[in-house]
Every structure is written in C-alpha cells, then in structure tokens.
Amino acid sequence: MLSLTVFLPLAAGLVLPAVPRRAVPWVWIAVTLADLALVAGMWAAHGTGPGIAYETDVRWIPSVRAGYHVGLDGLSFPLVTLTAVLFAACAVYSVRQTHRVRAFAILFLFLETVCLGLFAALDLLLFFVFFDLSIVGMYFVILLWGHGDRTASALKFFLYTFLGSLVLLLGFIGLYLGADPHTFDMVELARHPPLAGSPGLAGLTLLAVGLGLGIKTPVVPFHTWLPPAHTDAPAAGSAILAGVMLKMGAYGFVRIAMPMLPDAWSRYALVFLIVGLVGVLYGALVALAQDNVKRLVAYTSVNHMGYIVLALGAAGYASGHADARRLAVTGAVTQMVSHGLVTGALFLLCGVLHDRAGSYDLGRFGRTAPVYAGMLALAAFAALGLPGLSGFIAEFQIFAGTIGSGTTAAAVTGAIAVLGILVTAALFLRVLHRAVLGAPGELSERVGDARRPERAAIVPLLALSLLIGVAPRALLDTIEPVSAAVTAVTGR
C-alpha cells in the first residue's frame, strides 16, 4: 500500500503524455486526490499506535547493506499527509495554468513521488536519493515557470542545496562506517547508534549531517538561497518548496541526527539552541522590513524553521526534564505540519496577486475583495500563532518545552525567542493593514476576489490549520510516541 502511494504520482506522470491536453489538469487533480485518499486510509487504519506500519524491506545494494526499506510511524505519517495535501492543493490551484501545462503537471507528479519517498524512507541511501532528486525537480520548476531573475535564483538554489546534499552524503558515509556491522538501515542505526565510543568522529559526522540538513531547513547563515528562490518561483512551486521541501531538513534532524548521534547531539545542543534563536529573530526582523509580500513570507519561513531548531536543541540536553524535552520535540514536529499548511496557503495567496497584477509590492495594493481578504487574514493570524489555530499549538509546546526543560541555556534562549512572536505579529498586522484595511492602491482593481480554483486550493489548508488548533489530540497522539523515543535516546 505504501509503495503504491509513493509511486502512483510518478506512474501517472509517465502516462500523462498520452492524455489529451484539455484533460491534463483534471487527471493531475484526480491522481493527487487519489493519493491523498490512500494516505488518509493508511493513517485511519493504523490509528495513533506506536511502531512502524506498512513496512517494506527489499534488498537493493546488498554489498553495502542498503535496501529499499520504507515504512511510516508517528513522525512520518503527519509529514506524508502534509505532502499529499499540499500537492493536491497545488494541482487544484494550477487548473488554469496555460504555459507548458503537461510538463508542469509531470514535474509536480515527479516531485510528489520524491517527497513522499523521502518521508517514508528507512534507509540512508534511499533517503539521499530522494533528497537529491527533490533538488533537481524544484530547479526546473523555478527555471521554466518562474519569473523575475528566475535563472539566477534557480542556479543559486541548486548550487547551495546540492552542495548541502554532498556534505550530507559524507555524514551518511560516516554513519555507515561507524556502524558494526556496516549498514545504511536507519532502524538499525537508531537502535545501535554508531560512533558511540568515538566522540571526535561523532562530532565531525554530526557537523556534516547538520550542515547538509541545515542548508535545506534553512538555518542562518545558510539561508540566502531561500528568498530569491521563493520570490521568483511560481506560486505552486513556492508552496511546495516552503510547505514540504524545507521540512526535509528538519525531519532529518529528528529522524537521523538525534537518534543516530545522540551523544554528539547532547554535547552540541547549545549550538543548535543559538542557531535556532538567531533564525527566529533574524527571520522576523528582516521580514518586517520587506515591501515585497512574497519575500516577506519567505523570511517568515526562516523565522518559523528557527523555532523548530531551537526546540530540538533544547531537547538535546540530557540533564533536562524528560517531559519538557518530549514536549519540545512534539512541538517541533507540530510546527512542521502547521508551517506547511499556513505558509503553503500564504504563498498561494501571494500567487493570486502576481497572477492578476504582476506585482508583489505591498504599497501598490490596498483594500481587497472580501473572500481574499478573509483568507489572507486567517492565514496571517495562523502564522503569528493566534490561539485556535495550528501555529499556537506548535509554538506553545515549543516554548513550554524549551523554557521548562530545566536547563539555564534553554530557558534563556527560549525566553529571548518569544520576542520573535512579537515581531511576527507586527509584520503580519502590517500586511493586513496595507493589503486589507488600507485605502485602495493602484493595483487593487486588478486583483478582484479569489476565484473558485483558488478558494478550493486555499480554504482546505486553512481549515486544517483551524482543525489542528481546535482539536489537536489526534495529531499529538500520533507524534508523542516518537518524541518519547527520540528524547529517551538523547537522554541516556
């Protein structure tokens, strides 16, 4: 069932050239909705129980003990579901796409298989293959369907993230060589962490893994590829890049770095705390200074991903309170899901402005139509962490777990990071004031109200954010067993 879910989009993409051009968008939508139904069915059948479900382990490269090993647990279920939801939303949003429609749909179907495969992978080499292929797919999305200085933005994105993948591969080789017996199997590596008796080698391996995943996350100062890539990418590309692909780095920290290098993670927890704090404050302050609304949303991604790194750093302190550390990890994973939904919606809303008026300049817009204004307001409030929406659930757990961990460094950095929420609130209220409540701008008349495909794509994302904010128990019950397992390893 899981392999069918992963490879169904790719299979559909391979037959899409035989589909009449008019039917391409509808076939694309049907495939993504079918994949979403498969994911929902698997989650409903598995429930919130612990352990790995839908596991497949087939020999692939036996000489290095690498296999096609996939499965889902409390960490991957939410992210696989998020991936399916966002790709379905992007397919619906792009139903009016006119430029190279067939190639656009095929590339997104390819990307969906790659992203689903990465979150399901339980083998480091398989994880790396999907990780690298995602870079190639997004490079062509930006290059062929972007705008502005798309060539330079696509090249910068590719070079930065490809360099990160090469460094990540070095880290994976370090984990492989440190294991006894040598293996790329993630379950075995988490069960018997390699390099436990070699703190120096473990530190170097964590440096390689941390850099590779940090560039993808992205953490400051390795974030500079992100704003131009987002600004010049098409709206659907930005939604997938922020909503799904940034999570690959953060997911890797929880799935790979923390359980496989627990001693090194605990030893350098302060580094991750500081990196997370810098990302929180820097991302919020730079976003506050932006007049380009899409660039503003891009910098808020740096801010929100900083919260995740901050929480995972706090969870690394073996001397911290176990319950608080577990809460921090749960909050970090919840933030991955919340950020994906909310930022995906925000980028699609930005796309409406550019599709109609060819601009992202806040100063040229003003009072917008009611449905668009309502969706923008709800997305902004979710992004700034208003109670009743998913952002609040995630950030509350992150700050409660970080400040309550019982360690001075975590408590201080967590308290300082609260300033990030203040700045985020200010910047989104500024957006609402200028784009919703202000006097009509020169481009306001061109925008009009959201059309049916735009509403059909964006409203479900916001509805899921509201559902998590009001009734988060099902999501939290799924995540918490994995959080407990990860913190138990780093705390021993």
Side-chain angles (χ1 to χ4, degrees), residues 9-270:
L10 180 61
L14 292 176
V15 302
L16 213 55
V19 175
R21 187 181 182 281
R22 286 186 179 181
V24 166
W26 304 106
V27 172
W28 179 17
I29 292 170
V31 171
T32 57
L33 291 176
D35 221 41
L36 176 58
L38 286 172
V39 172
M42 286 192 295
W43 197 348
H46 178 65
T48 58
I52 299 172
Y54 307 102
E55 189 173 6
T56 301
D57 190 0
V58 180
R59 295 179 67 179
W60 176 33
I61 311 176
S63 58
V64 293
R65 296 194 66 190
Y68 172 74
H69 190 184
V70 295
L72 298 176
D73 63 5
L75 175 58
S76 47
F77 258 122
L79 293 170
V80 164
T81 306
L82 171 67
T83 300
V85 167
L86 279 173
F87 272 97
C90 288
V92 172
Y93 179 88
S94 304
V95 72
R96 292 176 178 267
Q97 175 79 23
T98 57
H99 178 56
R100 296 179 178 176
V101 179
R102 196 187 309 273
F104 192 71
I106 291 171
L107 195 52
F108 268 78
L109 288 168
F110 165 77
L111 271 173
E112 183 169 8
T113 283
V114 168
C115 295
L116 290 170
L118 182 138
F119 292 125
L122 293 175
D123 181 276
L124 289 179
L125 207 53
L126 186 64
F127 179 99
F128 178 78
V129 168
F130 287 127
F131 191 90
D132 247 15
L133 289 176
S134 71
I135 299 170
V136 176
M138 187 52 64
Y139 167 77
F140 284 110
V141 169
I142 299 170
L143 180 67
L144 299 178
W145 289 274
H147 39 259
D149 196 4
R150 61 186 181 182
T151 302
S153 297
L155 184 61
K156 189 173 186 179
F157 160 78
F158 185 88
L159 291 178
Y160 259 80
T161 51
F162 187 67
L163 174 63
S165 75
L166 293 178
V167 177
L168 182 64
L169 181 60
L170 291 176
F172 286 177
I173 292 172
L175 290 170
Y176 168 79
L177 294 176
D180 186 19
H182 299 328
T183 182
F184 283 106
D185 190 272
M186 294 162 71
V187 177
E188 287 298 319
L189 290 169
R191 187 177 294 138
H192 306 290
L195 302 170
S198 305
L201 290 175
L204 288 174
T205 303
L206 179 61
L207 176 62
V209 172
L211 278 175
L213 297 173
I215 290 172
K216 192 85 164 188
T217 298
V219 299
V220 178
F222 306 110
H223 68 288
T224 54
W225 61 267
L226 180 70
H230 273 313
T231 303
D232 296 331
S238 292
I240 296 303
L241 180 57
V244 178
M245 290 178 61
L246 298 192
K247 309 305 174 296
M248 293 177 178
Y251 171 83
F253 284 131
V254 183
R255 173 68 75 196
I256 299 168
M258 294 181 74
M260 297 180 196
L261 295 163
D263 295 337
W265 187 273
S266 296
R267 196 177 310 117
Y268 297 103
L270 179 61

